Amino acid sequence: MRNFFLNSKKVAKDNDIVNDIDMSNIPKHIAIIMDGNGRWAKERKLPRALGHKAGVETIRNIVKACNNLGVHYLTLYAFSTENWKRPKEEVNSLMKLLVEYLKKEFEELNDNNVIINHIGDISKLPDVCQKELNDAYNNTKNNTGLVLNLALNYGGRDEIIKAFKDMYEDLQNRKLNKDSINSELIEKYLYTAGMPDPDIIIRPSGEQRLSNFLLWQCAYSEFWYSNINWPDFKKEDLIRAIYDYQKRERRFGDVK
Ligand code: FPP
């Protein structure tokens, strides 16, 4: 097995702040709204597509860092249900980057025990993307390491509408009865069924909104924002986010 995922001791040498993070309280599920690729490119007078390309490099580094740190789930908002409104060339370049990423990274991710999962309605994605995503999932689903959730054609409202429709069908077919509807049951109808809710949502680039991401799941998530554009987001920024997260008091509506 190739050792691209450093162990935590090695990470600790890389950056002082790692010495201050509590390795027994690493968030189980980190979700990231990858933002600022366009601005990163604009600042450099480059086409937007090159901003997304640089963003893929960050994905690579952050996936490795999360696996090193023992994060169980990493959900990346890669393409929203609203992103179809973007110019056709930009949508095409994002789809191309996705296929390239899966082809190029598959072996290393698989060697390092990562499950390459996706959430969202991928049936609207080009056939080649669907094939790569399904192959990547089928070939890694028995791994036991980090679950990498790529959110593609994903929208929180869309996910909830889909859950309503599926539940309605099950009610009609008498697979469900009204009295069994509760939070746990609704979660079973979401793309994230069986996964813990995100402990922390990270949004770089200075924006402070949720943009239709994990609407049901983030009821008690901690939010962490920074002004760094996604292509400039480094492992140290992830560690800072975890450090800040560990300093927060999570009360889930209770009192301490
Ligand atoms: C937001 O930045 C970013 C996106 C909508 C796409 C994110 C996708 C990638 C990083 C690469 C493709 C995905 C994979 C999984 C390989 P923006 O374009 O909205 O930035 P801006 O707000 O500065 O314009």
Side-chain angles (χ1 to χ4, degrees):
M1 183 179 285
R2 212 174 329 158
N3 185 23
F4 87 2
F5 287 4
L6 306 168
N7 63 39
S8 56
K9 279 195 188 128
K10 175 75 170 64
V11 174
K13 276 190 213 151
D14 288 343
N15 191 308
D16 281 352
I17 197 174
V18 179
N19 296 323
D20 295 326
I21 66 170
D22 175 359
M23 292 305 287
S24 68
N25 183 26
I26 296 294
K28 275 197 177 58
H29 186 168
I30 297 182
I32 307 183
I33 303 175
M34 303 183 288
D35 198 8
N37 296 348
R39 275 161 282 173
W40 183 92
K42 197 172 173 198
E43 280 165 13
R44 289 161 181 78
K45 301 192 175 20
L46 294 170
R48 292 178 60 81
L50 288 187
H52 295 312
K53 192 167 178 220
V56 176
E57 203 48 51
T58 303
I59 294 180
R60 221 170 258 139
N61 296 332
I62 296 305
V63 170
K64 288 179 197 176
C66 282
N67 210 14
N68 283 337
L69 290 163
V71 173
H72 295 191
Y73 296 87
L74 172 66
T75 301
L76 299 177
Y77 206 6
F79 194 87
S80 75
T81 43
E82 288 71 38
N83 285 153
W84 296 108
K85 294 180 202 153
R86 294 189 176 209
K88 205 162 176 266
E89 313 84 72
E90 183 170 347
V91 171
N92 290 343
S93 74
L94 283 167
M95 298 300 154
K96 204 167 150 228
L97 282 174
L98 170 67
V99 172
E100 275 172 20
Y101 173 78
L102 293 169
K103 285 193 170 157
K104 218 165 144 193
E105 297 299 306
F106 173 81
E107 197 187 326
E108 203 163 1
L109 291 170
N110 190 36
D111 281 354
N112 286 282
N113 219 5
V114 173
I115 300 174
I116 308 171
N117 191 34
H118 51 266
I119 60 170
D121 178 8
I122 68 159
S123 71
K124 304 285 186 301
L125 264 49
D127 290 349
V128 60
C129 296
Q130 292 182 48
K131 183 183 177 313
E132 289 298 329
L133 285 164
N134 288 326
D135 287 354
Y137 175 69
N138 288 325
N139 292 317
T140 58
K141 65 181 176 198
N142 296 322
N143 288 345
T144 53
L146 174 78
V147 177
L148 171 62
N149 278 328
L150 299 174
L152 291 155
N153 192 26
Y154 173 87
R157 287 188 174 175
D158 230 48
E159 179 180 41
I160 292 169
I161 292 167
K162 180 186 173 302
F164 272 35
K165 287 182 177 167
D166 291 348
M167 262 195 291
Y168 177 75
E169 204 172 291
D170 285 351
L171 279 165
Q172 283 207 315
N173 295 334
R174 298 185 190 283
K175 286 190 200 157
L176 254 190
N177 70 69
K178 189 175 94 176
D179 296 332
S180 62
I181 299 178
N182 56 23
S183 290
E184 287 74 34
L185 185 104
I186 291 172
E187 279 159 17
K188 293 195 173 109
Y189 284 84
L190 302 177
Y191 292 120
T192 50
M195 303 179 196
D197 287 342
D199 299 295
I200 176 168
I201 309 254
I202 295 176
R203 183 163 193 163
S205 92
E207 308 299 342
Q208 300 189 7
R209 56 178 171 266
L210 203 47
S211 300
N212 202 12
F213 191 40
L214 302 173
L215 296 183
W216 173 277
Q217 298 86 338
C218 74
Y220 285 101
S221 306
E222 297 292 326
F223 286 88
W224 191 87
Y225 300 103
S226 98
N227 289 328
I228 305 158
N229 289 325
W230 178 246
D232 286 331
F233 193 89
K234 300 278 177 291
K235 183 182 71 190
E236 289 72 22
D237 302 304
L238 173 79
I239 288 165
R240 163 62 65 185
I242 295 174
Y243 177 83
D244 291 347
Y245 161 85
Q246 291 179 340
K247 294 276 166 287
R248 298 198 193 166
E249 185 188 27
R250 299 187 79 192
R251 291 170 35 179
F252 300 97
D254 203 347
V255 284
K256 274 273 147 104

